[in-house]
Amino acid sequence: MPKLEQTVFVVDDDAAVRDALSMLFRAAGLKVETFPSAGSFLQNYRLELGGCLVLDIRMPGMSGLALQKELSSRRLDIPVVFLTGHADVPMAVRAMKDGAFDFIEKPIDSPRLIPVVLAALKHDMARRSGTPVADKLTVTSNPRLADLTEREREILDLVLEGRQTKAIAESLGVTIKTVEFHRSRIREKLGVSSLAELFRLFLR
């Protein structure tokens, strides 16, 4: 369990979501601070504060993506876990490529969110203490890709570009059901159970 001086910073414009996440993280023994906007977080965050950021990707005013870029421009290095709706997956892919730690699709699945946040806190702790962090995985470095068929590799590439199932089906001239079958096989062969795990495998 991460040390208590680490904080989970929750930024979401929905008060009910902030309250629910605050209770969830506190029940897991974590320190939590919540903010209703990106601006309020920026006014209060300091570089020496360890932890991770749980961030809604869509918010009025400064969006989650804009906050991520602002943190980068200010050299404020903190792991970011995005909360995203299904329609926001292409944006989440871009966020991962820009350095986000992970993304969780709504509705939020707490049994999956807690391990991701704990991993983000561990990553932040290792970075701050100077402990080497494991090298990032890439498509070329993952031997399990050898188990994929040519069509599965093709679909995987499109998924990693942020394409949704319908768009992939139209692009390849196949049915949605066919794409869903291949996506299921890809998850099975790569040993992942969700879209977020798939992106974490290849884009971090």
Side-chain angles (χ1 to χ4, degrees), residues 117-144:
V117 167
L118 290 175
L121 292 174
K122 181 179 179 182
H123 178 89
D124 180 70
M125 185 182 293
R127 180 183 60 79
R128 290 174 183 275
S129 66
T131 303
V133 178
D135 290 337
K136 297 178 180 179
L137 289 171
T138 63
V139 171
T140 54
S141 69
N142 192 323
R144 284 178 287 183

Side-chain angles (χ1 to χ4, degrees), residues 154 158 163 165-174:
E154 187 176 21
L158 293 172
R163 304 275 193 94
T165 299
K166 183 178 179 182
I168 294 174
E170 292 174 351
S171 173
L172 299 179
V174 298

Side-chain angles (χ1 to χ4, degrees), residues 90-111:
M91 285 194 293
V93 174
R94 190 163 77 248
M96 292 285 284
K97 290 180 178 178
D98 287 341
F101 187 82
D102 206 341
F103 72 91
I104 299 291
E105 288 186 86
K106 297 177 180 177
I108 298 166
D109 180 1
S110 56

Side-chain angles (χ1 to χ4, degrees), residues 19-20 47 68 82 89 91 97 100 110-111 127 145-146 154 159 161 169 192:
D19 290 345
L47 182 61
Q68 181 190 27
F82 276 106
V89 167
M91 285 194 293
K97 290 180 178 178
S110 56
R127 180 183 60 79
L145 283 168
E154 187 176 21
V159 169
E161 288 176 10
V192 299

Side-chain angles (χ1 to χ4, degrees), residues 11-64:
V11 182
D12 197 300
D13 62 300
D14 188 326
V17 171
R18 293 197 305 274
D19 290 345
L21 291 178
S22 180
M23 287 190 293
L24 176 67
F25 294 135
R26 286 195 171 97
L30 301 172
K31 182 179 177 182
V32 187
E33 290 186 25
T34 64
F35 302 89
S37 68
S40 62
F41 171 76
L42 283 172
Q43 288 174 0
N44 290 277
Y45 181 70
R46 301 186 308 280
L47 182 61
E48 63 269 20
L49 297 176
C52 74
L53 177 58
V54 177
L55 177 61
D56 189 12
I57 205 165
R58 284 186 186 270
M59 293 185 292
M62 181 183 285
S63 69

